């Protein structure tokens, strides 16, 4: 199932989600890059980040809670080390650089600092993590003025495709998607993790930071509903992510209106999960989506 979106040709509809495969190193350790359609890198911030205190991950029967805190090597190291590695080892695989920050200027610094480099297709703006220093833990995408500010600041800095990653706890994700497109987004990624909290014995919190992001199978129906709503509201491609374990899950997203999907948490349990899901999608054609790309 070849898909042509964002000016690129994707051999299948399955990408690796941000935060699940670093900058591609874990991918090439377990499979050939051409077994998936592409990847989204770990989120990049202007300065290196050590991340949140341990423990950062806790499992529960429906999935996983994580609070990594956007640990990453920072803009300079990504430009000097990670991008050259990607160019050498990923065989031209379509890559989106995930971008995060605590203010619009930080998103701009990363995009401006990387835009002149080779080896990647576009940017995915992570606007659904609670990292804004002025919104008291509220993600950018849940504040229309902040969403506009980030996009209006970043859009003039690049001609590459810009994806905007939205949050599952948005009461009107369709309106947010439409607003993002109005201000320059070329695509919508739906969704990020759902805020959650877990305790263990004696009521002790299981994540060092206290709260974290819920992902895994429990997120599947939330993601499907979000993609369905977003796809009905915008005319740009929508990328579905959340709870995908099998080809059946991926096909459900495609039927809901997604052009591509991303596999995330499942890769921690099965590092080759994305390749398996991609194989399961071979030959799939959504009759509601028109003829397959040639």
């Amino acid at each position: 199932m070849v898909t042509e979106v964002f000016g690129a040709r994707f051999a299948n509809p399955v990408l690796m989600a941000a935060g699940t495969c670093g900058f591609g190193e874990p991918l090439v350790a377990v499979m050939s890059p051409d077994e998936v359609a592409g990847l989204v890198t770990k989120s990049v911030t202007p300065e290196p980040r050590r991340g949140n205190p341990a423990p950062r991950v806790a499992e529960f029967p429906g999935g996983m809670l994580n609070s990594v805190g956007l640990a990453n090597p920072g803009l300079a190291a990504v430009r000097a080390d990670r991008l050259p590695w990607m160019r050498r080892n990923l065989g031209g695989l379509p890559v989106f650089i995930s971008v995060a920050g605590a203010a619009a200027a930080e998103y701009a610094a990363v995009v401006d600092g990387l835009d002149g480099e080779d080896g990647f297709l576009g940017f995915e703006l992570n606007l659904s993590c609670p990292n804004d220093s002025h919104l008291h833990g509220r993600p950018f995408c849940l504040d229309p003025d902040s969403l506009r500010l980030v996009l209006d600041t970043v859009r003039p800095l690049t001609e590459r495709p810009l994806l905007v990653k939205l949050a599952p706890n948005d009461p009107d994700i369709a309106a947010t998607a439409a607003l993002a497109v109005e201000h320059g987004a070329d695509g919508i990624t739906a969704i990020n993790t759902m805020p959650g909290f877990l305790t263990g014995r004696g009521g002790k919190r299981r994540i060092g930071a206290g709260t974290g992001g819920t992902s895994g199978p429990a997120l599947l129906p939330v993601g499907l509903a979000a993609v369905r709503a977003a796809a009905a509201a915008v005319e740009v491609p929508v990328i579905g992510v959340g709870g995908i374990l099998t080809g059946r899950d991926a096909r459900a997203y495609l039927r809901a209106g997604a052009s591509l999907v991303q596999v995330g948490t499942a890769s921690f349990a099965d590092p080759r999960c994305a390749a398996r899901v991609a194989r399961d999608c071979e030959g799939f054609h959504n009759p509601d989506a028109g003829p397959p790309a040639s």
Side-chain angles (χ1 to χ4, degrees):
M1 177 185 172
V2 175
T3 301
E4 295 183 2
V5 287
F6 309 121
R9 186 178 176 92
F10 295 83
N12 62 70
V14 182
L15 285 69
M16 303 287 291
T20 62
C21 62
F23 293 88
E25 306 94 335
L27 172 66
V28 300
V30 297
M31 70 180 89
S32 171
D34 62 11
E35 292 186 67
V36 294
L39 65 90
V40 185
T41 69
K42 176 186 287 291
S43 289
V44 180
T45 55
E47 301 298 327
R49 290 186 59 156
R50 299 183 65 180
N52 287 336
R56 294 178 174 181
V57 174
E59 294 183 68
F60 69 100
M64 184 177 80
L65 188 71
N66 85 86
S67 185
V68 176
L70 300 177
N72 77 96
L75 168 61
V78 169
R79 185 170 50 214
D81 301 323
R82 300 310 196 273
L83 284 181
W85 183 93
M86 288 162 52
R87 289 193 290 266
R88 292 193 306 268
N89 293 281
L90 295 183
L93 192 70
V95 173
F96 289 93
I97 304 291
S98 178
V99 183
E106 294 192 6
Y107 285 86
V110 174
V111 170
D112 193 43
L114 295 179
D115 191 58
E117 303 294 325
D118 296 325
F120 68 100
L121 174 61
F123 298 97
E124 182 180 83
L125 304 181
N126 182 356
L127 300 185
S128 44
C129 277
N131 295 295
D132 177 37
S133 56
H134 304 293
L135 293 178
H136 308 290
R138 191 180 188 191
F140 284 96
C141 67
L142 297 185
D143 182 82
D145 289 339
S146 296
L147 177 68
R148 292 188 196 96
L149 177 60
V150 173
L151 279 164
D152 289 349
T153 303
V154 169
R155 181 71 274 180
L157 301 176
T158 181
E159 295 183 356
R160 296 177 189 262
L162 279 182
L163 311 180
V164 171
K165 191 168 187 177
L166 301 183
N169 53 325
D170 188 330
D172 193 350
I173 197 167
T176 302
L179 181 64
V181 172
E182 180 185 343
H183 286 265
D186 298 299
I188 299 296
T189 301
I191 51 177
N192 209 325
T193 57
M194 176 76 80
F197 178 75
L198 286 173
T199 57
R201 291 182 179 179
K204 182 179 179 181
R205 64 190 188 185
R206 294 183 59 191
I207 293 290
T211 58
T214 306
S215 62
L219 206 59
L220 179 66
V222 181
L224 287 171
V227 164
R228 186 170 180 267
V234 300
E235 295 183 357
V236 300
V238 175
I239 301 177
V241 55
I244 296 176
L245 299 179
T246 66
R248 181 179 180 179
D249 299 333
R251 292 191 296 272
Y253 269 106
L254 298 173
R255 291 190 183 98
S259 297
L260 300 168
V261 299
Q262 296 176 10
V263 173
T265 297
S267 299
F268 295 114
D270 174 8
R272 291 184 52 79
C273 179
R276 174 171 49 77
V277 171
R279 289 194 302 273
D280 288 347
C281 288
E282 289 180 1
F284 173 78
H285 170 53
N286 182 0
D288 297 326
S294 58

